[in-house]
Amino acid sequence: MAETVEILQQHLPKALADTFYMVAVATIIGVIVGGLIGLLLFLASNVLFHQNILLHKTVGFIVNAIRSLPFLILLVTLIPFLSAILGDPYTPTGAAISLSVAAIPFFARVAEGAFAEVDPGILEASVAQGATTKQIILGVIIPESLPGLIRGLVLTVISLLGYSAMVGTIGAGGIGDLAIQYGYYRYETLVLVVIILLLVVVVQLIQWGGDRLAQHFTR
């Protein structure tokens, strides 16, 4: 018990900081880039805007191809690239880049689905009134799809939190690394229990906050 407390005191704060860093960076990149790709997919498939079936199918194929890879396989695939740009891929930054690559296509599909749920009648009315594509995107599509985007963001963050634990298996830091190095290899079961309970609490808080925020913007 005393050894478990000492391990948690010494290593848990840094593990949490590394996990927060990895998830935050990946979420920001995933939401921005993935959201833009999702918007591109939506516009390219909609007759009211710049419909381009070839572009939609090409981008959609790339998105699906990346999404089809299990995260650990994607992580291993990216190691040579990360080694070239970082030197040491087994760092929180290397893990953040890998998580970002996984988050972009995931959120792209989430965003495309949220945009597709916007009432077509509202879009047709906006086009009929002479609104530009930019005005429709900023004034109609994004505001109307905001609840769906928020729910998708919550889903993305929770997924990334789980993926961030996986990078611990290769020693890239975070709570997964703490669980493997000190909980599993040293047979400190209580360390594993604390980390699991901590993850459960964090996920519940994220889900609760996201649901409340989405409900606030639901019209």
Side-chain angles (χ1 to χ4, degrees):
M1 181 68 177
E3 185 177 354
T4 298
V5 173
E6 183 179 354
I7 290 173
L8 292 174
Q9 288 178 339
Q10 290 183 358
H11 301 285
L12 184 58
K14 185 179 187 306
L16 289 174
D18 288 344
T19 296
F20 175 80
Y21 167 74
M22 292 186 286
V23 173
V25 169
T27 299
I28 293 171
I29 295 175
V31 168
I32 294 175
V33 180
L36 291 174
I37 293 175
L39 182 61
L40 174 64
L41 289 169
F42 171 71
L43 295 177
S45 66
N46 197 305
V47 295
L48 294 175
F49 302 104
H50 310 286
Q51 188 180 37
N52 188 321
I53 300 302
L54 178 61
L55 177 63
H56 182 269
K57 288 185 176 181
T58 301
V59 176
F61 174 80
I62 296 172
V63 168
N64 290 338
I66 299 176
R67 285 187 63 197
S68 67
L69 296 175
F71 178 68
L72 286 179
I73 294 178
L74 177 63
L75 181 62
V76 172
T77 304
L78 290 173
I79 285 178
F81 169 74
L82 296 175
S83 298
I85 63 174
L86 298 176
D88 182 7
Y90 306 107
T91 62
T93 299
I97 295 175
S98 300
L99 290 171
S100 300
V101 174
I104 289 172
F106 182 88
F107 192 78
R109 286 304 188 188
V110 168
E112 182 189 15
F115 297 144
E117 291 178 358
V118 176
D119 187 352
I122 299 177
L123 298 178
E124 292 174 1
S126 300
V127 173
Q129 291 174 3
T132 64
T133 300
K134 180 179 179 181
Q135 289 173 331
I136 295 174
I137 291 172
L138 297 178
V140 179
I141 295 177
I142 293 179
E144 290 293 327
S145 61
L146 198 55
L149 291 174
I150 292 173
R151 292 187 179 95
L153 172 62
V154 170
L155 182 61
T156 302
V157 172
I158 292 174
S159 297
L160 289 175
L161 190 61
Y163 290 158
S164 71
M166 293 183 190
V167 301
T169 60
I170 64 168
I175 53 177
D177 187 41
L178 176 62
I180 292 292
Q181 297 296 330
Y182 293 92
Y184 180 74
Y185 290 149
R186 296 192 182 186
Y187 301 101
E188 289 288 340
T189 306
L190 191 55
V191 172
L192 292 173
V193 171
V194 170
I195 291 174
I196 291 171
L197 291 177
L198 189 59
L199 284 173
V200 170
V201 171
V202 170
V203 168
Q204 292 295 330
L205 289 175
I206 293 172
Q207 187 68 60
W208 177 81
D211 288 343
R212 293 290 299 272
L213 191 60
Q215 185 177 11
H216 174 75
F217 285 103
T218 299
R219 300 182 181 182

